[in-house]
Amino acid sequence: MERAADLPGTAAPAVDRDRVNDYDGFAEAYAAENENSLVNAYYERPAMLALAGDVTGRRILDAGCGSGPLSAALRDRGAVVTGIDVSAGMLALARRRLGDDAALHLADLRDPLPFDDGAFDDVVASLVLHYLEDWGPALAELRRVLRPGGRLIASVDHPFVAYTIHDPRPDYFATTSYGFDWTFGGRTVPMRFWRKPLHAMAEAFTTAGFRLSAISEPQPDPAARELFPDGFRDLATKTTFLFFVVEVPPGNRPGR
């Protein structure tokens, strides 16, 4: 699920609550915030599209498609896009955006995916993996549905940022959960994610059979300088998200 995000240092500790990450409950407000925000529309999505490059004719799985803005942008660039998300509310918004004939599926990345081996040329996972404590099963499935030579392009909370959200500082080398409250559209909602050290992220990809192709810490779109002058300066000088491009080695079949 692509998520609207606060800039580093703006997250407040969340009160413990039974229900977190309830995207069905705030789908409309979230999608509206995500559509044109500095962090999403002028930083995270442009970076994902730049890493994807020329996608004409490529079969792409948008894993955690949310309301579909990245799917729409990839389709506009000539890709054949399939979207999955764990939130039925977000998928309804994606179908509204993409049309009734769009290939959209309700699916949880922690479960087996409803696709054949090698069904896709690329997978994009936009701000999704940090919802998972254990990346292993999800990455194994994403690798399975990619053809040999296929790519997984993923963005996550930068581990340095996740480490600094709460005081006292957690053990950087441990996989630990962290939560805070998001406020958007006049509504405050509790969220919870998982932080991992950088080496654990890299090892999760290689253990799943991927080959690391690129790690990126991009700058925001220069067009945001005039639209968000204060936020642009902050975003251009601090880490926020970390981007990976990993590949299935050519000639390797799923499970090898």
Side-chain angles (χ1 to χ4, degrees), residues 1-247:
M1 166 97 48
E2 186 181 7
R3 72 173 179 87
D6 295 312
L7 292 178
T10 62
V15 175
D16 288 338
R17 300 180 189 175
D18 292 333
R19 192 165 183 81
V20 295
N21 306 342
D22 179 23
Y23 277 97
D24 282 341
F26 56 79
E28 292 276 0
Y30 165 84
E33 173 73 16
N34 180 280
E35 194 72 24
N36 296 301
S37 70
L38 167 62
V39 173
N40 294 105
Y42 293 92
Y43 171 58
E44 197 275 339
R45 278 200 298 277
M48 291 290 285
L49 293 169
L51 290 170
D54 182 4
V55 296
T56 304
R58 295 182 73 85
R59 303 163 300 161
I60 299 181
L61 174 64
D62 188 351
C65 64
S67 61
L70 183 58
S71 289
L74 290 166
R75 191 176 67 175
D76 289 346
R77 287 161 172 77
V80 179
V81 182
T82 298
I84 61 172
D85 204 278
V86 73
S87 166
M90 297 303 291
L91 283 177
L93 296 178
R95 190 164 299 283
R96 185 189 307 172
R97 180 196 300 268
L98 299 170
D100 290 340
D101 60 344
L104 298 171
H105 304 266
L106 187 67
D108 192 322
L109 282 176
R110 294 168 295 188
D111 299 329
L113 297 177
F115 307 112
D116 292 337
D117 294 357
F120 299 101
D121 300 303
D122 298 312
V123 173
V124 291
S126 175
L127 304 176
V128 173
L129 291 175
H130 48 224
Y131 287 93
L132 305 176
E133 179 180 6
D134 180 5
W135 290 11
L139 291 181
E141 271 297 276
L142 295 179
R143 183 185 181 281
R144 181 186 65 78
V145 303
L146 279 166
R147 65 167 176 80
R151 304 175 299 170
L152 167 60
I153 304 166
S155 59
V156 297
D157 277 345
H158 199 296
F160 299 167
V161 176
Y163 174 68
T164 62
I165 283 179
H166 288 161
D167 285 318
R169 296 286 183 259
D171 177 356
Y172 171 77
F173 294 100
T175 295
T176 54
S177 66
Y178 63 103
F180 53 81
D181 286 347
W182 273 351
T183 299
F184 51 85
R187 182 175 179 181
T188 298
V189 295
M191 304 299 296
R192 186 158 297 279
F193 308 99
W194 290 89
R195 58 166 77 83
K196 294 179 183 295
L198 177 56
H199 76 88
M201 295 180 179
E203 288 173 5
F205 290 122
T206 57
T207 298
F210 288 103
R211 181 174 61 193
L212 184 63
S213 175
I215 297 178
S216 178
E217 296 173 307
Q219 290 288 293
D221 185 333
R225 188 186 302 273
E226 298 298 324
L227 295 171
F228 306 92
D230 294 333
F232 180 89
R233 286 191 294 271
D234 200 37
L235 189 59
T237 58
K238 295 180 180 179
T239 54
T240 302
F241 300 139
L242 188 62
F243 296 75
F244 295 91
V245 181
V246 296
E247 300 176 344

